[in-house]
């Protein structure tokens, strides 16, 4: 049996302000380990809302979301916080870097929080990731001083430091030039195929989406 990292069944999501509106309608799909998947759809189709649920940041929904075999619905906040730090890497627009900390410290932080690596090992791993993403020369700078594209690459390095089972992103290459977008794409491709890490990325880039293993397309809150 294939290892299902994400299993979503019968998910409905409503917003109540200014009036009740069903944003996600009976969403069901699963993703096996090592898949590089793209989540696509027009603006307003529900992509960010779905990703927010899958990332366990929003717990208000109907249905079932299983990540690595664990039902996340109904779990208490501290359990979810630990689960996220161990198993999920994010590159989200709402998930900002700490502007007063250096790039290096931002990347190290999730590893130090997890407590499996020594400070020295975390520094080494963070440096390696920054190098892989072409921003090692920015390591000692406060992230407030970096360009949007550099910040995005630091955020990707931070998302990868705990070797998460699943990496989720909302337009993770949206601020990057084509060279660096290609670099990030190739890195995601490599870690999914070589390490078996699962990647789910919202993208508007048709070409990017077509080159992934799997496209999940939303139309008006439903899987097309
Ligand atoms: N917090 C919220 N309250 C009310 N409506 C929301 C909220 N967040 C998103 N929506 C609405 O839900 C729909 C889907 O939004 P979203 O998931 O952000 O779409 P996408 O990311 O595909 O552009 C849109 O109609 C949006 O206006
Ligand atoms: Mg969105």
């Amino acid at each position: 049996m294939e290892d299902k990292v994400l299993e979503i069944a019968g998910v409905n999501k409503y917003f109540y302000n200014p009036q009740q509106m069903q944003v996600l309608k009976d969403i069901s799909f699963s993703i096996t380990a090592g898949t590089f998947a793209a989540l696509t759809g027009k603006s307003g189709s529900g992509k960010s809302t779905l990703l927010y649920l899958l990332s366990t940041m929003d717990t208000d929904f109907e249905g079932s979301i299983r990540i690595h075999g664990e039902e996340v619905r109904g779990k208490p906040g501290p359990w979810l916080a630990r689960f996220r730090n161990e198993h999920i890497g994010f590159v989200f627009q709402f998930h900002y870097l700490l502007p007063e900390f250096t790039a290096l410290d931002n990347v190290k932080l999730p590893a130090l929080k997890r407590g499996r690596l020594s400070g020295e090992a975390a520094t080494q791993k963070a440096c390696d990731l920054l190098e892989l993403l072409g921003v090692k020369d920015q390591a000692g700078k406060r992230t407030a001083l970096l360009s949007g594209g550099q910040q995005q690459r630091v955020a990707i390095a931070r998302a990868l430091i705990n070797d998460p089972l699943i990496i989720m992103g909302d337009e993770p290459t949206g601020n990057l030039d084509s060279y660096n977008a290609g670099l990030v794409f190739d890195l995601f491709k490599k870690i999914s195929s070589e390490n078996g890490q699962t990647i789910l990325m919202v993208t508007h880039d048709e070409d990017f989406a077509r080159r992934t293993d799997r496209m999940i397309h939303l139309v008006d809150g439903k899987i097309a």
Side-chain angles (χ1 to χ4, degrees):
M1 204 186 88
E2 283 186 295
D3 183 14
K4 291 198 173 83
V5 170
L6 261 182
E7 289 178 84
I8 296 101
V11 166
N12 294 309
K13 168 73 188 174
Y14 300 86
F15 285 119
Y16 300 97
N17 270 309
Q19 69 248 356
Q20 183 170 324
M21 168 197 180
Q22 185 170 6
V23 180
L24 296 176
K25 299 162 188 164
D26 196 24
I27 303 281
S28 299
F29 65 90
S30 59
I31 298 183
T32 54
T35 300
F36 182 2
L39 181 59
T40 60
K42 281 191 189 146
S43 177
S45 58
K47 304 180 299 295
S48 295
T49 302
L50 177 58
L51 213 57
Y52 209 37
L53 293 181
L54 299 179
S55 74
T56 80
M57 307 287 280
D58 182 355
T59 55
D60 177 25
F61 62 95
E62 294 174 358
S64 166
I65 295 177
R66 297 177 77 84
I67 302 176
H68 197 37
E70 295 270 10
E71 173 63 58
V72 300
R73 183 154 176 229
K75 288 287 197 298
W79 187 95
L80 289 173
R82 186 166 31 81
F83 188 78
R84 278 196 298 271
N85 191 50
E86 286 194 11
H87 297 304
I88 309 176
F90 303 101
V91 196
F92 280 3
Q93 286 151 351
F94 57 77
H95 209 259
Y96 298 104
L97 297 166
L98 300 171
E100 297 307 317
F101 284 64
T102 64
L104 181 65
D105 284 340
N106 269 277
V107 176
K108 279 167 67 178
L109 207 63
L112 298 178
K113 204 150 125 196
R114 190 176 187 188
R116 293 214 180 149
L117 295 180
S118 68
E120 204 181 321
T123 300
Q124 187 57 54
K125 193 164 179 188
C127 284
D128 292 347
L129 284 166
L130 289 169
E131 181 160 33
L132 213 52
L133 287 152
V135 280
K136 184 153 180 248
D137 54 337
Q138 307 297 320
K141 255 190 222 168
R142 287 188 290 126
T143 55
L145 302 175
L146 304 184
S147 74
Q150 289 169 334
Q151 289 180 2
Q152 201 156 41
R153 285 179 283 158
V154 172
I156 293 168
R158 181 183 59 179
L160 298 178
I161 194 150
N162 281 340
D163 298 317
L165 274 175
I166 173 152
I167 297 139
M168 299 182 192
D170 202 342
E171 298 275 353
T173 59
N175 287 324
L176 301 183
D177 55 74
S178 61
Y179 172 81
N180 283 304
L183 190 130
V184 169
F185 184 92
D186 292 344
L187 179 62
F188 286 159
K189 195 100 190 165
K190 184 171 145 96
I191 64 177
S192 59
S193 63
E194 291 180 10
N195 306 350
Q197 287 170 279
T198 304
I199 310 210
L200 181 61
M201 289 296 154
V202 168
T203 184
H204 278 118
D205 185 335
E206 287 263 335
D207 181 50
F208 187 106
R210 256 185 278 110
R211 289 159 58 215
T212 62
D213 303 324
R214 166 113 185 253
M215 271 169 70
I216 296 159
H217 189 64
L218 282 182
V219 177
D220 195 20
K222 290 192 201 111
I223 301 273

